[in-house]
Amino acid sequence: MLNKNLIEEILGIAIRHGGEFSEIFLENSHSLYFYWDDRRAEEVTYGEDIGAGIRIIQGDKVYYGYTTDISELGLKKLANNLSEVVIKGENNRKIIMEDKKEFITKALKDYKSVEVGEGIDLLKIMDESSRNYSPRIVQFTSVIRNHTQEILIANSEGDFVEEKRVRSVVYGFAVGEKDGLIQTGYEIVGATLGWELFTEDLVKNVALEASRRAILMLEAEEAPAGIMPVIISSQAGGVLIHEAVGHGLEADLVEKGVSVYKGKIGEKVASNSVTLVDAGVLEEKYGSSYVDDEGVKTNYNVLIDRGILKSYMHSRITAKKFGVAPTGNGRRQSFRYPPIPRMTNTFILPGNSKLGDMLDKVEKGLYVVKMGGGQVDTVSGDFVFEIEEGYMIESGKIKNPVRGATLIGNGPKILEKIELIGDDIGFTPGTCGKDGQGVPVTDGMPTILISEITVGGTKKRED
Amino acid sequence: MLDIEFVLKFLKKNKVEGEIFYQEKEKHSLTIYGGDVEKYQVSKEQGIGIRILKKNKQSFSYTTDIKNVEEAINKALAYVDYMPIDENWSLVEDLEAKDIKGYIEDPPMEERINTLKEIEKKIYSKDKRIKSIRNIVWEKICENNKIINTLNTFLEYNYQYQYVYTEISASDGNNERSGFEFDTGRTWYDLNFDNLVDKVVWKATSLLGAEQTLSKRTTILLPSDVASDFLELLSYMFIADNVQKNKSLLKGLINQRVASPVLSIIEDPTDERSLVPRAFDDEGVKTYKKYLIEDGILKEYLHNLYTANKERRNSTGNGVRLNFKSLPKIASFNMYIKPGIRTEREIISSVKNGIYIISLMGLHLADTVSGDFSLGIEGLQIKDGEFYKPLAEMTVAGNLKDLLNSISEVGSELYFKGNVASPMIKLEDVMVSGK
């Protein structure tokens, strides 16, 4: 992308009036977006997103700017403008960078070799699968997206890294209708992989799962409300752990005192059976990369070890403040944003229980097979998340499906109430939002039994 | 700068109709934390979106590389033949319009930084129970957009707006609660900093000691900011594209009763009180005031050119481009609920038993197609017209359709913050679940 001498010069310009650290993040992204709605390919978009962000750190202050003009002149101008705002002093530090390290996602096929017709054909197959599943499907929408992000990161400490990341995601959204009742179903598959992810079988399955869920929910009863035991299947995804604990372990929130987990390193924060990991290194997972968006190698970080809080997730800035090594969690949506501590692939390690053992313990409760999105208030630890597919449990037996429910609870309290952990694990991809930035993540969990949690359903109770 | 002439010639040479959406955007931002500036941000970007129409087929591409747009245009040209035929795509013809506004300059940076630092101090000094302030963030966005097509259309408009927000936490020793508050304005002088301080401190401290209580049916008050969030959710159902595609509960109900008679919803981009008034939309269609719901009766959906062409009618002027990366979609520019008679204070005093909601969790998870929602709520119990005690870990679940019918009163105060606005709303006989 840019030559080494020019980068060294730009990094020098940025801190010529002061500042301990300067960094350039150059991005060249290409995306292919295929959108199907109402029985036809409604939109196919090719996009180029090219730009650079420059960051200067001086004490506790961050100066950040970005531009879409990545010419030599454009970048020098940006570095110069930012340096003017930094509190004045003279600094003639010469920046010398190491040799470049390069990393590339193992993708067989990216935007350069994809034919438009291929994408449209896949969407068509999905629509046919959905409509054939049931005449009650009244609408089917799907998206296939392939994103190639080439980044260059260089900083005044000499780090010089390039990474090419290719990510692919497909999702289907089905609308079912019966006697005026409308219900929806959703399914997503995403990976840090090329276009080869989209096999005919895979996209068909996404369409069928979304459709099956929409039709199933038409037959479902309204979910009850109240406190009860809940079993969450490993297929349901790990959004519970993402919301209930994950966000609270991001070091910027801890540092500012807006996390319930502040000052709790070394303390017991969960039941003994809970070990929580965040690992950006897992191959092919949607939240993976070789380096984070500050050029730090990603890692396998044990955050909670058998109930004891071991570590937070750090960016360079928070790591320095806490006096620890960066953990490879400094991430950003694009060159338009400065990096902040974020999750990558976050999951609970499997235990040794079976679903049968868990069911035996439940007299009346809920079995959750698929979760949707969620939200957390990191100050109080209170969270909610939605149930996309759930069933009642009566006397240890899985009974009728229920619809329209969310789970609401408090992170630290729920961690204490995880009673059994299954010997399996499942992951789901998603986009996690924080401070207006969305980054790809996955969340994973074994099947778990929570002894009690509040279910917010619509079913009318006797007053 | 983008060479517009070159692009138009290039499209004509390839015998297609086409449209360029050329966006220039500037963003300034300041973040205050711990008595000092934590983050200073400035940025400038440009990008274009290229829409191509050929024999009733449409394709699209975008790029930030405005000096070298040929690659992006060539991709759109290559894609268009694969797209399905649809005679409803169209571009406006022979239209020249400009909507260029001037704005009062912000005070110098030094002064802005000092005012923001002052807010942090005021929050801390307002109440001893304030434990931490995550930050005070101020951001300003300036945009200039040009829409140019091969059918002799040249449109240009600009706008700016800014906002300030803060997120804090309060503690009483046993319990911790958060508070979030924001304000928006076109210029610095429109931002009400004192009100921001008062409200955020009140929100965080009044929830301290909140507990889950028993489930019951009760009256609920949604104050202006919470009601606005709900209105934003409802806006999805008025979008004609969703209606036409079986994704709206309001399908086929024009001129029928869909809500309580106390409810009227208006969409008016020309209203000078709104944050970003617009004379024409992102397809060049003139904007105007319209009732979506009038006294509980559904009157109109929101259209762009495409959905209007499908029904052989006129667009309502709600064609919106989120940015240069997206095609014209449909959205409201300025949607609000028509105010009622009594003030918020008077409505609160009139409630014998009820809940005043301070914050909702999971609103973005509501299913706007089926209308089903289930939300976490935090708020204050009302007893004989007075706030009684704080509640948390409670849920409200239901369907948006029923919610529209359970509105019994709308308050008189209306503040425009963002693109949706609502006075306080009172709902009757809502099931609230807890223990």
Side-chain angles (χ1 to χ4, degrees):
Chain A
M1 294 187 193
L2 291 178
N3 79 55
K4 198 169 161 180
N5 292 341
L6 178 60
I7 295 170
E8 287 170 344
E9 197 188 334
I10 292 166
L11 291 172
I13 293 173
I15 48 173
R16 73 198 166 107
H17 294 309
E20 305 87 59
F21 178 88
S22 60
E23 172 201 68
I24 181 164
F25 179 90
L26 185 75
E27 175 176 355
N28 189 345
S29 278
H30 290 85
S31 67
L32 288 177
Y33 172 79
F34 294 82
Y35 176 68
W36 180 283
D37 201 7
D38 209 21
R39 294 178 187 271
R40 81 219 194 288
E42 181 164 309
E43 189 182 330
V44 177
T45 299
Y46 163 82
E48 296 171 351
D49 204 13
I50 303 161
I54 293 179
R55 179 165 65 140
I56 305 167
I57 302 176
Q58 181 188 40
D60 285 336
K61 290 192 178 75
V62 172
Y63 301 86
Y64 193 79
Y66 69 83
T67 179
T68 48
D69 179 3
I70 58 158
S71 65
E72 181 175 339
L73 198 70
L75 293 174
K76 282 184 177 171
K77 203 169 130 190
L78 175 62
N80 194 43
N81 287 348
L82 279 177
S83 76
E84 294 290 334
V85 195
V86 176
I87 292 162
K88 299 281 181 287
E90 274 309 310
N91 188 348
N92 290 317
R93 205 168 118 205
K94 176 112 183 71
I95 312 284
I96 297 158
M97 293 191 310
E98 298 165 2
D99 288 334
K100 188 162 70 184
K101 293 190 188 76
E102 291 181 55
F103 304 95
I104 297 177
T105 303
K106 289 185 201 86
L108 301 175
K109 191 170 173 180
D110 66 10
Y111 71 98
K112 284 182 186 150
S113 49
V114 174
E115 296 289 332
V116 194
E118 290 178 68
I120 295 177
D121 286 347
L122 289 170
L123 294 175
K124 205 173 185 173
I125 289 169
M126 290 176 77
D127 189 72
E128 279 164 10
S129 307
S130 172
R131 306 275 179 180
N132 289 340
Y133 180 77
S134 165
R136 290 197 177 128
I137 298 289
V138 291
Q139 195 51 272
F140 183 74
T141 308
S142 54
V143 165
I144 286 181
R145 196 176 57 217
N146 176 253
H147 186 77
T148 303
Q149 185 197 35
E150 290 167 274
I151 56 165
L152 175 155
I153 303 165
N155 64 38
S156 56
E157 289 175 5
D159 298 316
F160 187 22
V161 184
E162 261 186 41
E163 179 168 359
K164 179 178 170 181
R165 302 168 181 160
V166 186
R167 292 196 172 99
S168 296
V169 62
V170 49
Y171 66 80
F173 176 78
V175 183
E177 187 178 3
K178 186 191 171 191
D179 307 329
L181 176 71
I182 291 175
Q183 287 293 301
T184 62
Y186 175 78
E187 180 68 17
I188 179 170
V189 173
T192 301
L193 268 179
W195 185 268
E196 66 275 9
L197 173 72
F198 307 125
T199 61
E200 216 177 292
D201 284 348
L202 182 122
V203 301
K204 232 185 225 174
N205 199 44
V206 167
L208 285 173
E209 270 299 287
S211 310
R212 184 187 61 77
R213 210 159 273 143
I215 298 300
L216 180 79
M217 287 303 113
L218 288 174
E219 305 298 335
E221 287 175 18
E222 289 184 68
I227 298 173
M228 60 191 80
V230 171
I231 297 173
I232 300 174
S233 160
S234 62
Q235 305 162 45
V239 66
L240 172 89
I241 222 64
H242 181 101
E243 301 298 345
V245 206
H247 279 295
L249 298 180
E250 292 166 341
D252 54 337
L253 303 180
V254 176
E255 187 227 329
K256 300 245 171 108
V258 289
S259 164
V260 276
Y261 296 102
K262 184 181 178 169
K264 300 228 166 118
I265 293 277
E267 286 182 26
K268 189 169 179 301
V269 295
S271 69
N272 297 334
S273 49
V274 175
T275 293
L276 180 72
V277 176
D278 180 88
V281 289
L282 304 183
E283 222 168 287
E284 297 184 7
K285 289 273 180 289
Y286 199 47
S288 297
S289 57
Y290 291 94
V291 291
D292 69 5
D293 296 313
E294 302 184 287
V296 177
K297 284 269 256 172
T298 53
N299 213 332
Y300 185 95
N301 297 303
V302 176
L303 306 175
I304 296 174
D305 187 7
R306 284 159 290 173
I308 308 294
L309 182 60
K310 290 290 177 186
S311 170
Y312 301 120
M313 288 172 274
H314 288 283
S315 63
R316 280 180 192 269
I317 290 182
T318 65
K320 201 175 158 203
K321 284 181 181 163
F322 281 73
V324 298
T327 56
N329 291 89
R331 305 183 70 195
R332 53 181 128 199
Q333 180 176 318
S334 72
F335 66 87
R336 294 182 177 86
Y337 304 88
I340 50 173
R342 301 300 295 264
M343 286 175 254
T344 60
N345 307 298
T346 315
F347 52 96
I348 292 183
L349 291 186
N352 44 34
S353 299
K354 303 275 179 208
L355 177 61
D357 309 337
M358 298 185 198
L359 286 169
D360 286 346
K361 292 199 158 204
V362 179
E363 186 47 40
K364 189 166 190 293
L366 199 66
Y367 178 54
V368 179
V369 175
K370 191 74 187 173
M371 294 192 271
Q375 191 183 342
V376 65
D377 174 348
T378 56
V379 170
S380 61
D382 288 350
F383 65 85
V384 293
F385 66 82
E386 56 175 344
I387 298 169
E388 297 246 324
E389 183 178 347
Y391 300 82
M392 290 310 299
I393 304 170
E394 275 162 38
S395 312
K397 297 263 182 317
I398 298 169
K399 298 282 188 179
N400 56 295
V402 290
R403 63 180 164 85
T406 53
L407 295 187
I408 178 163
N410 180 275
K413 284 189 209 160
I414 289 303
L415 283 187
E416 291 291 344
K417 287 178 179 163
I418 296 180
E419 212 175 293
L420 291 175
I421 297 189
D423 58 0
D424 52 354
I425 189 165
F427 288 90
T428 42
T431 299
C432 167
K434 176 180 170 187
D435 294 356
Q437 302 196 45
V439 295
V441 296
T442 65
D443 310 314
M445 260 186 358
T447 301
I448 60 168
L449 168 64
I450 299 173
S451 57
E452 54 173 38
I453 187 167
T454 305
V455 177
T458 46
K459 192 171 183 175
K460 307 240 180 336
R461 288 205 298 197
E462 318 294 310
D463 285 273
Chain B
M1 275 295 284
L2 173 70
D3 186 347
I4 293 165
E5 280 310 308
F6 168 80
V7 179
L8 290 177
K9 271 185 202 150
F10 194 86
L11 293 172
K12 282 175 184 160
K13 198 177 81 193
N14 281 282
K15 299 194 172 60
V16 294
E17 300 302 343
E19 173 206 66
I20 307 160
F21 183 80
Y22 177 33
Q23 181 170 59
E24 292 167 290
K25 186 173 174 179
E26 258 184 72
K27 203 167 132 187
H28 300 262
S29 130
L30 283 168
T31 304
I32 303 292
Y33 172 68
D36 207 349
V37 174
E38 182 190 39
K39 200 176 86 190
Y40 163 89
Q41 196 173 329
V42 60
S43 61
K44 235 179 171 167
E45 66 171 310
Q46 304 186 24
I48 71 164
I50 303 142
R51 185 146 71 118
I52 283 175
L53 290 185
K54 184 183 173 187
K55 297 177 185 155
N56 290 324
K57 294 177 174 186
Q58 174 178 278
S59 66
F60 182 66
S61 67
Y62 65 84
T63 182
T64 52
D65 192 2
I66 54 160
K67 284 175 192 149
N68 181 24
V69 295
E70 274 187 62
E71 171 74 6
I73 301 178
N74 280 328
K75 288 279 185 186
L77 285 169
Y79 288 4
V80 75
D81 294 325
Y82 290 92
M83 301 304 292
I85 289 177
D86 191 330
E87 71 276 14
N88 297 311
W89 302 120
S90 67
L91 302 173
V92 280
E93 290 177 44
D94 302 314
L95 184 67
E96 217 169 293
K98 267 194 186 192
D99 184 11
I100 301 292
K101 299 179 190 82
Y103 293 93
I104 309 169
E105 289 253 356
D106 297 330
M109 186 154 74
E110 220 34 56
E111 194 184 322
R112 277 178 281 145
I113 290 173
N114 286 335
T115 304
L116 296 169
K117 282 184 189 169
E118 208 48 44
I119 295 177
E120 202 185 28
K121 276 192 208 144
K122 280 182 186 164
I123 291 173
Y124 276 124
S125 61
K126 190 114 197 156
D127 194 304
K128 284 196 182 67
R129 294 169 296 174
I130 302 303
K131 206 191 99 204
S132 59
I133 300 175
R134 188 175 169 201
N135 48 31
I136 316 282
V137 179
W138 169 82
E139 272 185 339
K140 176 185 168 186
I141 314 263
C142 304
E143 272 189 35
N144 183 286
N145 296 324
K146 294 187 185 80
I147 303 162
I148 301 140
N149 70 30
T150 52
L151 299 173
N152 302 317
T153 290
F154 188 102
L155 304 166
E156 184 178 3
Y157 66 90
N158 73 337
Y159 61 79
Q160 76 163 48
Y161 62 88
Q162 40 190 287
Y163 50 87
V164 56
Y165 64 84
T166 185
E167 195 183 333
I168 68 171
S169 75
S171 171
D172 61 4
N174 305 312
N175 188 251
E176 276 187 34
R177 290 286 154 189
S178 67
F180 174 84
E181 187 59 37
F182 73 100
D183 196 21
T184 62
R186 279 181 235 166
T187 73
W188 174 267
Y189 303 99
D190 299 325
L191 301 172
N192 188 340
F193 299 112
D194 288 336
N195 188 45
L196 181 88
V197 171
D198 291 347
K199 282 190 96 173
V200 79
V201 170
W202 181 76
K203 280 184 182 176
T205 54
S206 62
L207 283 172
L208 284 169
E211 281 181 344
Q212 197 175 41
T213 62
L214 298 174
S215 304
K216 64 174 164 198
R217 303 202 141 267
T218 186
T219 300
I220 279 190
L221 296 184
L222 306 179
S224 173
D225 49 351
V226 177
S228 301
D229 288 345
F230 251 108
L231 180 60
E232 190 158 11
L233 201 62
L234 292 176
S235 68
Y236 183 93
M237 299 196 283
F238 295 103
I239 291 169
D241 195 56
N242 296 328
V243 176
Q244 292 171 353
K245 290 172 176 169
N246 282 321
K247 292 186 210 172
S248 168
L249 290 170
L250 297 180
K251 184 188 165 183
L253 296 176
I254 288 282
N255 289 327
Q256 291 188 37
R257 177 164 302 284
V258 296
S260 146
V262 302
L263 184 73
S264 291
I265 300 178
I266 295 162
E267 206 273 331
D268 185 10
T270 65
D271 193 321
E272 277 302 319
R273 294 173 298 175
S274 76
L275 188 59
V276 181
R278 293 280 297 267
F280 50 83
D281 72 0
D282 286 335
E283 294 183 297
V285 179
K286 213 166 140 29
T287 54
Y288 61 94
K289 178 180 178 176
K290 59 230 159 242
Y291 274 83
L292 302 178
I293 290 181
E294 191 172 13
D295 304 328
I297 310 291
L298 179 66
K299 287 296 182 189
E300 181 64 296
Y301 303 121
L302 299 173
H303 285 273
N304 63 5
L305 283 175
Y306 177 79
T307 60
N309 288 344
K310 248 182 170 172
E311 295 177 26
R312 305 282 168 257
R313 54 159 287 164
N314 289 324
S315 164
T316 56
N318 291 95
V320 175
R321 305 185 81 134
L322 292 173
N323 53 42
F324 65 89
K325 294 179 182 178
S326 94
L327 281 162
K329 307 286 178 191
I330 303 171
S332 64
F333 288 103
N334 178 42
M335 179 186 270
Y336 63 92
I337 291 179
K338 194 176 165 182
I341 292 159
R342 292 201 292 181
T343 64
E344 290 189 12
R345 194 58 254 172
E346 287 166 343
I347 295 175
I348 296 167
S349 304
S350 72
V351 175
K352 203 166 158 23
N353 278 299
I355 298 173
Y356 176 99
I357 309 256
I358 291 181
S359 91
L360 290 173
M361 278 185 90
L363 199 63
H364 70 289
L365 308 174
D367 186 334
T368 48
V369 176
S370 69
D372 290 343
F373 66 87
S374 173
L375 306 164
I377 59 168
E378 293 177 333
L380 301 171
Q381 207 170 328
I382 304 173
K383 213 172 158 185
D384 297 325
E386 302 282 343
F387 291 139
Y388 173 56
K389 65 175 189 186
L391 306 170
E393 275 190 68
M394 306 286 288
T395 63
V396 169
N399 190 283
L400 293 175
K401 229 173 168 170
D402 302 328
L403 186 97
L404 284 174
N405 283 302
S406 57
I407 298 174
S408 63
E409 187 169 1
V410 177
S412 61
E413 298 111 319
L414 181 66
Y415 314 96
F416 287 83
K417 274 209 295 196
N419 60 353
V420 286
S422 172
M424 173 184 268
I425 284 175
K426 186 178 174 188
L427 301 166
E428 299 297 344
D429 198 32
V430 178
M431 184 68 204
V432 177
S433 308
K435 277 193 232 176

